[in-house]
């Protein structure tokens, strides 16, 4: 039996583990080893975290920091060895999304729509994407003002050249798709959008009707130009019009709501309206999907290039680089004769140096090759008629022979229904661009912003936005002989690391601008609906 309290060191197995008294030198050495190992572990963890933080910062850079990082490009060197082939995943894969996903469900505070005897009629102005975002705004405005929305009329303006255009003095026949409203011609909603689906999808948000009740067709109405980039408070005040009118007519729909500082439920309603409810009409949707399938069957992956090298765009921006004197004069006359374009005198050289011009077809070709895309890449041209035709397109085709247009994908019979209906053909371009592996706009217009925003919403699909100002400097050095084309990848690729559609919060107003003018400088809500409609939680998922 073992007696409690007794202890025999020599017989105990624990004796061998008893520490021996260390010398001062050995103790110092042990402390030094522990310290060195701790430093090693710290540096290892710190370096890993720093790399991860750097990646996150590159993705979520604010506007000022991002522009600074882009301007610090490598020094230009002549005759650099061409960069090695870039892995396919780097060329084609979407940026890392950090688990972000669409979130457009209403919050718990959101209430279902109620019937209203107050009506809002809308004339939606501009081109296809200006009309689309304007309609989404009007859905939100109708919600704020407790109004029943009458299906908007779509504006058809001078450069959309629809086959159903007639002069203002033409008669309006019953059953035709064209009606007159004041001095502007408009087209019915169902020509471009799925009207019944639009009404059905938003029935929990607002009440929508196809036309005014008969008894209100001749009733007096308030004709209103809503303030641009207005707040919810503005529309709450505007509800005073209901005291005197039962119908409010909205003359313009574009940019009627602020980009920022709106309730999250209003922002998500805008996203539900644009990305869910405002579906194109069945014929457009059907053909658009067929064309995407044909592109895939031809070459698998493809770039959708929104090439804004069209006559009206070049005339409007005053960009004449690379054109002949007669072409430049033609664009100048066009600008002077277009009354609603306010700026008539434009310095084309300064405009291009400032990055305010669309890239030319040649410049786009050089840019894409510098990014690493091989000459075999399939490129779909999403655009109207290219100014100068094959004369300028040949400079793009020489670098990328696999160029595709609607006319080469669809049959004549398929396109006949859309002939001269520019809004509908633009809708086909929109579908193909949203579904592309990579989207590249040569200019930051309404189409480019709308497609980029939609692609962000769908999972931050790869969208490469050219740094036109930085590229112009490079192109000019290339043309003057200061640079060789083989050196371009080392300049162009670092310049565009943070311009490929990775997640980031929407830019606010430009610094130093005060008053209402600052709203114009904000990034469009529809260009980047993060964070209101893109989340990293499952609570309000799509």
């Amino acid at each position: 039996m073992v007696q409690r309290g007794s202890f025999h060191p020599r017989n105990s197995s624990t004796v061998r583990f008893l520490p021996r008294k260390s010398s001062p030198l050995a103790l110092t050495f042990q402390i030094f080893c522990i310290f060195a190992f701790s430093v090693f572990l710290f540096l290892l963890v710190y370096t890993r975290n720093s790399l991860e933080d750097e990646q996150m910062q590159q993705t979520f850079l604010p506007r000022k920091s991002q522009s600074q990082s882009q301007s610090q490009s490598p020094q230009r060197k002549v005759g650099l060895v061409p960069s090695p082939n870039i892995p396919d995943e780097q060329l084609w894969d979407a940026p890392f999304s950090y688990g972000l996903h669409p979130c457009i469900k209403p919050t718990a505070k959101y209430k279902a729509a109620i019937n209203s005897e107050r009506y809002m009629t809308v004339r939606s102005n501009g081109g296809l994407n200006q009309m689309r975002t304007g309609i989404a705004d009007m859905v939100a405005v109708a919600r704020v003002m407790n109004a029943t929305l009458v299906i908007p009329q779509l504006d058809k303006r001078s450069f959309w050249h629809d086959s159903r255009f007639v002069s203002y003095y033409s008669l309006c026949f019953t059953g035709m798709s064209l009606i007159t409203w004041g001095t502007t011609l408009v087209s019915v909603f169902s020509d471009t959008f799925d009207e019944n689906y639009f009404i059905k999808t938003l029935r929990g948000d607002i009440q929508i009707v196809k036309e005014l009740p008969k008894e209100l067709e001749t009733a007096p109405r308030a004709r209103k130009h809503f303030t641009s980039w207005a707040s919810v408070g503005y529309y709450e005040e505007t509800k005073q019009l209901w005291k005197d009118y039962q119908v409010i007519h909205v003359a313009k729909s574009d940019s009627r709501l602020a980009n920022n500082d709106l309730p999250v439920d209003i922002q998500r309603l805008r996203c539900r309206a644009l990305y869910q409810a405002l579906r194109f009409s069945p014929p457009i949707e059907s053909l658009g999907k067929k064309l995407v399938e044909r592109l895939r069957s031809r070459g698998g992956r493809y770039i959708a290039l929104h090439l804004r090298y069209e006559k009206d765009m070049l005339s409007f921006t005053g960009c004449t680089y690379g054109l002949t004197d007669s072409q430049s004069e033609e664009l100048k006359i066009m600008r002077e004769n277009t009354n609603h374009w306010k700026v008539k005198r434009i310095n084309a050289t300064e405009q291009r140096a400032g990055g305010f011009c669309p890239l030319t077809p040649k410049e786009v070709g050089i840019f894409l090759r510098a990014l690493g895309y091989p000459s075999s890449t399939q490129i779909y041209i999403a655009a109207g008629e290219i100014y100068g035709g094959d004369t300028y397109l040949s400079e793009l085709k020489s670098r990328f022979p696999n160029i595709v247009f609607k006319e080469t994908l669809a049959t004549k019979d398929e396109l006949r229904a859309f002939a001269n209906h520019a809004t509908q053909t633009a809708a086909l371009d929109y579908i193909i661009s949203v579904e592309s592996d990579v989207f590249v706009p040569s200019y930051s217009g309404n189409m480019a912003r709308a497609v980029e925003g939609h692609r962000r919403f769908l999972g931050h699909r790869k969208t490469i936005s050219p740094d036109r100002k930085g590229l112009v400097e490079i192109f000019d050095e290339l043309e003057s002989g200061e640079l060789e084309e083989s050196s371009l990848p080392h300049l162009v690729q670092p310049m565009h690391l943070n311009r490929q559609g990775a997640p980031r919060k929407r830019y606010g107003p430009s610094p130093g601008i005060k008053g209402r003018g600052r709203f114009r400088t904000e990034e469009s809500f529809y260009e980047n609906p993060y964070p209101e409609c893109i989340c990293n939680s499952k609570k309000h998922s799509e």
Side-chain angles (χ1 to χ4, degrees), residues 83-99:
S83 61
N85 292 332
I86 298 177
D88 277 358
E89 58 269 20
Q90 187 174 331
L91 288 174
W92 298 99
D93 287 0
F96 189 63
S97 64
Y98 299 94

Side-chain angles (χ1 to χ4, degrees), residues 131-149:
M131 289 191 289
R132 291 177 68 252
T133 55
I135 291 168
D137 274 3
M138 288 300 104
V139 167
V141 169
R143 168 80 188 193
V144 173
M145 296 187 66
N146 299 324
T148 294
L149 179 67

Side-chain angles (χ1 to χ4, degrees), residues 295 302-305 378-382 404-406 409 429 432:
L295 275 166
Y302 69 94
I303 294 175
L305 170 63
Q378 185 176 210
I379 298 179
Y380 175 81
I381 303 293
V404 185
F405 297 87
K406 286 184 291 291
L409 280 178
D429 283 339
I432 296 170

Side-chain angles (χ1 to χ4, degrees), residues 82-153:
S83 61
N85 292 332
I86 298 177
D88 277 358
E89 58 269 20
Q90 187 174 331
L91 288 174
W92 298 99
D93 287 0
F96 189 63
S97 64
Y98 299 94
L100 297 174
H101 54 83
C103 54
I104 58 176
K105 288 183 179 179
T107 66
K109 298 179 180 180
Y110 194 76
K111 297 180 180 180
I114 57 175
N115 292 336
S116 173
E117 297 302 318
R118 298 160 176 170
Y119 294 85
M120 181 183 297
T121 61
V122 176
R123 182 177 65 77
S124 188
N125 61 299
L128 173 68
N129 291 289
Q130 206 170 343
M131 289 191 289
R132 291 177 68 252
T133 55
I135 291 168
D137 274 3
M138 288 300 104
V139 167
V141 169
R143 168 80 188 193
V144 173
M145 296 187 66
N146 299 324
T148 294
L149 179 67
V150 180
I151 285 289
Q153 296 290 340

